[in-house]
Amino acid sequence: MTEVLSPYGEHALLTPAMARGRDVASAQEQERLLRYLEAVVAARPAPVHVAVAFNAVYFGYDLQGDGYGGSPLRLDDFPVITFGECAPALPVGAMVSVTTGSDPLYAEIIYKEGAHPDVGSLGDVPAWVSGAPAGAEGPGEPGAETSPQRRELLVPDPQAFGPALSLSPTQLHRLRTRRRWIDADGHVVVDAHYPSREAARHDDLTAYVDYLLTTARAQLLSPYVPVSLADLVGSTQDDVLRAGLLHLLETVRRVLARSEVLRMWRSYAMTRTSLAAWLRDPGPLGGDDLRTLAAAVERAASPARRRHGLTAPVTAYTAVGPRLRAFPGAGDALRGVGYARAVCRANVALADFVQRDSDQGLFPNGTRVTLDDAFEGGGVWRSCRRGDADDSGDPLVPAGRGWTSTTTRAAAPVRSTEPETAPEPLDSPLEDDAALGPGALLRSDEKEIVWQLPLRLAHLIGCCLPLRPCVVAEILGSRGPRPVIRLELDHDGENPEGNRAVQETVAELTADTPRLTGVRWPLDFFPGLILRLHWSRGGQVIRVVTMRLEQPVQVGERVIEHRYDPCVLTREDAPGSDREGDTAAGLAPQQLVMRTVRRCGLLTPDGHALLDRAHLPIAVYGRGPARSQAVALETAVVELLAERLLEPDLGSRDIFGQPHFPSRSGEPAIPLIGYRPVPQRVKRPWGGTELATEGLRTIQFVPGHLRRLLPGRSPSETQRAAFREHCRRLGKADGWDLPDGYTFVTQHTRGH
């Protein structure tokens, strides 16, 4: 007998494990959830947003035809919206009551998009509208910071509550005809206002969480839902509820994304069988029309032929929703929830077209096609000629280049007679300090305890060395509350037969501070150096040993001959950090940028640090910097990227605001700047592999190489000649001149 899938029953579809976070729920729990969600997507008449899928699981959507009709939802709690009026912004997933003048129209918002009045009837979009923030008033004019408004089109599903709570087809037709409560297509257009510009920038799921915890709180915490959120998380505190909701929504999103029978367009899921059938449909908005749409978007930026030649190429912005209305016979297909279905399918077709027939959006005819705004008009696609703008990055990640192109032009420098209030740079606190460079117990027997840890900047500045709790307890137990400990620092390795350079120092240990104080660290000790510590039980000597690398390496300006922790080196050997102190004061812009990326960036196990480029000024100064400071930082970033001391990359941001690298599928992409400490082997010009003497250890051979010049600089004739000679020795056959913007650095050695 086939199991009847339902959120109600012995086995709940949402579990406390899912509310705790990803990869916690069992495979069996996720499989049951997947089968139910696949059935929901197949049963609903339009693509299913992640928030709508969550509603189905949480509030109990009946797959036998009653929808939410049998759920415990209180219809009187639904917010009331009126066509054409100003109302608080509603997210996708909200359950509403639409004013009709007679019987209320209960519906679930299953789709929404921007409905800017300047978008043309054929889908042509002014550049500044594409990617513009809520409340924008014109090119480069972002509008008010507080309570911004945006015209939005909401697509309600009036059949979501089953036949008992739905208006009849005759009643719906009458409402569409009057165009007073809903428009002719059964949609609701409202002037949505947001509490702040930041709230308007929230992604769909974050906005829905805010809505559930405020407007729909009673509905969310109803004890009659299959499993209440309060029971899943064991609390009614807002922060706990929010975290649990975000985890549940992320679980639903991941389960939908991994289905083999579903296809996702951003946060909307649809069945692959319905997509395949639609592509074979020869009728209005079928496969033929969508192929026509894709070709039109590709050609939109091509120069048109005129009587006296070609016109100049343009950058065109095309909104999918209005453009679909221009196809003959499309009216019926765009009514009701059919509009959401058609728009999502059209975007899928365009995305497949871009991925299949172009190289990262660049087509053979020289046109680049990218998604520029995923919200306005059902999705705005940008078409431009190659070289018109910097279009690097994923073509399916909305970049908002239309809006930014107008803000760049509008942001002409304005001279002020008043001095700027320039904030001081922060000292970049290490938020992950506790997890950075953990120690490890290597051996503990009746004779000796051996452990290792990386040397930290705080140890160098504070002249101290933390000890393991078991060692502290035994020393204090046998030698009193203030024992004197002797350190033997062996900086040549553990081989007792070797040429050891042992330094002794006396340090104190107290019960209040479980670390040795008064340690005199050698001058060549640095943050990240791995220390191996030996303590013979009952003794008063701790031996500290460093371990030599097989081959010295250079990381940045530091030549390293001993084992080290790359994460600690990245964080604590940044500009402005040394044993004399740790401060950003007095650093040049390039040093500030490098310090901030290394100290505040997302850290990978190999010491690679990545920072959201857009957040760099705030990370440096703690608040918006003065205009001159912002310009100096951006110039420094460009120079560091050109010199390859930093590198660009792409990551993503999850619904919790946490950046991730590599980027995750389904999450919005963000540009990153990264510091990658690549260890370079130290070459020796004499050709040997062994260290001849102590004095030759730090000599490094640097081969000839190109170096990018600052803007306006040019190489000398000496360097041009050196490059030609270098090319001649290498047998270079593709030219002897230096490329523009570069000079040549001849081979040399550095060090002692």
Side-chain angles (χ1 to χ4, degrees), residues 29-385:
E29 292 170 344
Q30 295 198 42
E31 182 62 28
R32 292 186 67 253
L33 179 60
L34 172 62
R35 287 191 293 115
Y36 174 76
L37 291 177
E38 288 175 345
V40 169
V41 175
R44 297 296 290 260
V48 175
H49 191 278
V50 173
V52 175
F54 169 82
N55 285 351
V57 181
Y58 187 81
F59 295 115
Y61 186 86
D62 178 56
L63 295 172
Q64 308 306 311
D66 285 338
Y68 298 110
S71 71
L73 297 171
R74 290 185 51 181
L75 305 180
D76 292 340
D77 291 336
F78 292 178
V80 177
I81 57 175
T82 303
F83 177 71
E85 290 189 358
C86 184
L90 291 172
V92 176
M95 298 179 182
V96 299
S97 173
V98 181
T99 301
T100 65
S102 56
D103 295 333
L105 173 61
Y106 297 114
E108 180 183 29
I109 304 300
I110 56 103
Y111 174 87
K112 83 169 184 174
E113 65 180 37
H116 200 282
D118 287 354
V119 175
S121 59
L122 295 179
D124 49 308
V125 180
W128 71 272
V129 173
S130 182
E137 299 172 351
E141 300 177 13
E145 284 282 351
T146 58
S147 299
Q149 291 189 15
R150 176 170 60 194
R151 179 156 293 187
E152 297 179 349
L153 180 146
L154 309 179
V155 176
D157 181 3
Q159 307 300 324
F161 295 89
L165 295 174
S166 301
L167 299 183
S168 67
T170 301
Q171 290 173 304
L172 286 175
H173 177 72
R174 186 182 302 120
L175 292 176
R176 287 197 299 266
T177 302
R178 291 179 178 177
R179 303 186 184 184
R180 182 177 179 185
W181 315 112
I182 56 178
D183 68 11
D185 291 322
H187 306 150
V188 180
V189 177
V190 296
D191 289 321
H193 68 82
Y194 293 82
S196 66
R197 188 176 297 167
E198 181 64 29
R201 285 195 293 263
H202 285 170
D203 61 83
D204 290 350
L205 299 187
T206 302
Y208 191 50
V209 168
D210 292 340
Y211 169 80
L212 288 175
L213 290 174
T214 53
T215 304
R217 189 181 184 89
Q219 176 183 327
L220 174 71
L221 300 181
S222 169
Y224 302 111
V225 297
V227 182
S228 174
L229 178 64
D231 293 330
L232 290 173
V233 301
S235 174
T236 56
Q237 296 181 3
D238 274 4
D239 55 342
V240 180
L241 293 175
R242 177 178 294 275
L245 264 179
L246 289 170
H247 285 312
L248 291 174
L249 284 163
E250 173 65 9
T251 297
V252 170
R253 186 198 65 77
R254 286 189 295 108
V255 169
L256 288 171
R258 74 178 180 88
S259 170
E260 296 180 355
V261 302
L262 302 179
R263 175 73 185 273
M264 299 290 291
W265 168 248
R266 304 189 66 79
S267 295
Y268 294 89
M270 59 207 91
T271 63
R272 294 184 182 273
T273 54
S274 67
L275 285 172
W278 154 72
L279 286 173
R280 294 191 300 268
D281 184 0
L285 300 187
D288 292 340
D289 282 351
L290 268 298
R291 282 185 281 273
T292 300
L293 171 65
V297 170
E298 180 192 1
R299 295 194 302 265
S302 299
R305 291 192 175 275
R306 293 290 185 264
R307 182 176 180 180
H308 299 290
L310 298 177
T311 62
V314 297
T315 299
Y317 298 85
T318 304
V320 169
R323 183 65 181 84
L324 292 179
R325 299 182 188 277
F327 283 94
D332 290 341
L334 298 176
R335 289 200 179 99
V337 299
Y339 180 81
R341 183 170 57 240
V343 168
C344 288
R345 288 174 175 177
N347 279 300
V348 167
L350 287 169
D352 289 347
F353 173 63
V354 169
Q355 291 181 314
R356 182 185 64 244
D357 297 346
S358 75
D359 179 13
Q360 288 292 298
L362 182 62
F363 288 84
N365 67 356
T367 298
R368 188 182 296 276
V369 176
T370 58
L371 179 66
D372 200 56
D373 187 331
F375 181 73
E376 188 62 47
V380 177
W381 290 81
R382 180 177 186 268
S383 309
C384 68
R385 299 297 291 174

Side-chain angles (χ1 to χ4, degrees), residues 428 430 555-557 569-577 584 587-601 603 607-611 616 619-620 632-633 636-647 673-677:
S428 306
L430 298 177
V555 180
E557 296 297 322
L569 187 73
T570 292
R571 283 287 197 248
E572 302 191 347
D573 201 32
S577 302
L587 295 181
Q590 279 200 10
Q591 294 175 309
L592 273 178
V593 171
M594 184 66 77
R595 173 184 173 87
T596 304
V597 172
R598 293 176 62 170
R599 297 295 294 263
C600 302
L603 196 63
H608 187 188
L610 299 121
L611 186 70
L616 174 66
V620 172
L633 287 181
V637 169
V638 172
E639 293 172 350
L640 290 169
L641 291 173
E643 296 170 16
R644 298 186 179 181
L645 298 176
L646 292 179
E647 58 185 34
I673 46 176
Y675 166 78
R676 186 188 298 274

